[in-house]
Amino acid sequence: MENDSPVLPWPGFNCHPECVAEARTAAASVLDAAGLWTESMDDVQLHFAVHDLVLAAERQ
């Protein structure tokens, strides 16, 4: 396998965006995420979730 990891998709993998959106929503719920977004570049899509968010002024 080119990437040495069986969980990483191969080039041209059809990700079915509606399934990915559903999985991201479920993951955000499990994490109790305050935010969720994606960034795409070239052939890569990164998924981010923000959780345990605290304002810097509240940290002490």
Side-chain angles (χ1 to χ4, degrees):
M1 193 169 267
E2 189 174 311
N3 57 25
D4 295 327
S5 181
V7 296
L8 292 177
W10 50 91
F13 177 78
N14 185 356
C15 69
H16 301 286
E18 62 280 352
C19 293
V20 172
E22 186 176 331
R24 288 182 339 135
T25 302
S29 178
V30 168
L31 291 171
D32 194 23
L36 183 64
W37 78 96
T38 62
E39 292 287 332
S40 297
M41 62 184 114
D42 300 325
D43 291 334
V44 176
Q45 187 177 50
L46 303 173
H47 299 260
F48 299 92
V50 176
H51 58 90
D52 295 329
L53 198 58
V54 178
L55 292 175
E58 294 177 1
R59 288 187 197 194
Q60 301 200 8

